Amino acid sequence: MINWEILRIFILTVSATIIGVIWAPLLTNFLYKNRLGKKIRQSKDSPIYSQMHAVKAGTPTMGGILIWGTTAGLALILWLLSKFTHWQIFDQLNFINRSETWLPLAGLIFAAIIGLVDDLLNIRGQGANGGGLRMRYKWILYGLIGLVGALWFYFKLDWSIVHVPLIGNFEIGWWFIPFFMLVVAATSHSVNLTDGLDGLAGGILLTSFGAYGVISFMQGRFDLAVLCGIIIGALLAFLWFNIYPARFFMGDTGSMSLGTTLALIALFTNESLLLVIIGMIFVSESLSVIIQIISRKIRHKKIFISAPVHHHFEAKGWPEPKVVMRFWLISGVGAVLGIILFLIDKTF
């Protein structure tokens, strides 16, 4: 049983990588042909960022379609084959499961659609100051995704427990609903903030999904582990074209959808608090923005040259690949520490 599950994860991860690599050039050509490129607008609030990234103007965005499109497409194909063929192998490979993967897949798709609309508005210079959806509308829309997920957990799954590593489970009753929404909103927006340099968000998501894939597998949530594996495979294909100099960017359609899905998977494993360690880069990116805003409001001074923090190091003269690689290393350490803490917690 365990050997088959390992083999299933390997087969589908490799399949997702191959499928992604095959259709990535088609997506890239489509994005270039239709001039769906990123616009770097001059801003009084972030002149340093605008100056540093002016050279990237015109590079296609919405490359995140490659990741969620590959994941959702493979899920749909395997489900259809399991339903309409008599081959047992497709029943075994199918990973769509009401108790594990329905909600993460739904969250992936709906968050991706909202992000896609935001990206298109941004490209066309429409929306808030020509930059896409207003922030409050984003919070409302992604908050609704979090609310639906929270209600599903609370009423359908009768779930209102939060696990604190090394301490135990805590029954928090209806407070689980706002807690759930906070985890989803914080993670999705933190991933979005991190998506600012070539390969940065993709590489950190790779280690994060890898860590939760291991945790899911060790909990016996094999379909959830398969989903993590497929996303990892799609991320590998994406990173092949996204590393410096990027052929395309992830865009909100990728960062927001993957952040939402990562949060949902963390909540399904009941190890959402480990996100602070596994996703330590995401946490630091959000904290740097919060600190910068508070400092500018209260002290009328900046703490960082530019926020999020990866732009601070870039402004200090670090080459972009150096910032990305060092953040990848830190993310890898965080993922390993998260897994170690999970294993120690299991022995308590």
Side-chain angles (χ1 to χ4, degrees), residues 172-184:
I172 60 174
W174 68 269
W175 282 101
F176 183 79
I177 295 175
F179 171 78
F180 188 106
M181 293 176 66
L182 176 63
V183 172
V184 172

Side-chain angles (χ1 to χ4, degrees), residues 28-314:
T28 305
N29 291 337
F30 174 82
L31 295 174
Y32 272 101
K33 183 178 180 180
N34 290 276
R35 298 182 179 180
L36 299 175
K38 185 177 181 66
K39 289 181 170 58
I40 308 295
R41 294 179 176 83
Q42 296 298 320
S43 172
K44 295 180 180 179
D45 296 327
S46 54
I48 297 174
Y49 166 81
S50 302
Q51 182 179 355
M52 289 189 302
H53 288 248
V55 69
K56 297 188 177 187
T59 302
T61 187
M62 300 192 298
I65 294 173
L66 180 72
I67 307 166
W68 63 261
T70 299
T71 303
L74 190 54
L76 179 61
I77 290 169
L78 289 174
W79 180 79
L80 289 173
L81 289 172
S82 70
K83 292 295 181 183
F84 298 107
T85 70
H86 300 291
W87 291 17
Q88 188 178 2
I89 184 65
F90 294 126
D91 288 331
Q92 295 173 333
L93 289 174
N94 176 39
F95 64 95
I96 295 183
N97 182 319
R98 180 188 179 96
S99 63
E100 293 183 22
T101 56
W102 268 23
L103 188 58
L105 280 170
L108 176 75
I109 294 169
F110 283 110
I113 292 172
I114 296 171
L116 187 65
V117 171
D118 188 30
D119 285 333
L120 287 172
L121 289 174
N122 187 290
I123 290 168
R124 294 172 180 174
Q126 299 173 342
N129 299 318
L133 293 172
R134 291 185 182 277
M135 185 55 67
R136 63 173 176 267
Y137 295 150
K138 288 185 184 181
W139 278 102
I140 291 171
L141 290 170
Y142 289 109
L144 286 174
I145 293 175
L147 178 60
V148 171
L151 295 175
W152 178 281
F153 265 63
Y154 189 73
F155 292 106
K156 283 284 188 180
L157 304 181
D158 194 27
W159 195 325
S160 56
I161 293 174
V162 174
H163 180 73
V164 180
L166 305 180
I167 297 178
N169 294 328
F170 288 85
E171 169 64 51
I172 60 174
W174 68 269
W175 282 101
F176 183 79
I177 295 175
F179 171 78
F180 188 106
M181 293 176 66
L182 176 63
V183 172
V184 172
T187 306
S188 58
H189 283 82
S190 295
V191 173
N192 184 245
L193 287 173
T194 306
D195 183 32
L197 299 178
D198 296 356
L200 181 59
I204 296 170
L205 283 166
L206 193 71
T207 56
S208 299
F209 277 107
Y212 276 105
V214 171
I215 291 171
S216 299
F217 187 88
M218 298 193 69
Q219 290 181 340
R221 302 176 189 273
F222 298 125
D223 287 331
L224 202 59
V226 168
L227 176 59
C228 289
I230 290 174
I231 292 175
I232 288 169
L235 276 166
L236 286 171
F238 170 79
L239 280 168
W240 186 262
F241 299 93
N242 181 244
I243 56 174
Y244 184 86
R247 287 282 292 162
F248 49 45
F249 301 136
M250 185 178 288
D252 280 11
T253 191
S255 61
M256 296 299 289
S257 61
L258 291 170
T260 298
T261 307
L262 179 63
L264 292 172
I265 290 173
L267 287 157
F268 258 107
T269 62
N270 204 15
E271 296 290 351
S272 56
L273 295 183
L274 282 181
L275 265 173
V276 177
I277 297 173
I278 292 172
M280 62 172 61
I281 292 295
F282 298 138
V283 174
S284 67
E285 296 279 14
S286 286
L287 283 177
S288 69
V289 172
I290 293 170
I291 292 170
Q292 187 86 320
I293 292 173
I294 293 174
S295 178
R296 293 181 69 173
K297 292 288 186 182
I298 297 176
R299 301 171 61 246
H300 304 290
K301 294 181 180 180
K302 296 193 297 183
I303 299 292
F304 303 98
I305 300 174
S306 183
V309 69
H310 59 259
H311 290 317
H312 171 77
F313 291 111
E314 191 181 15

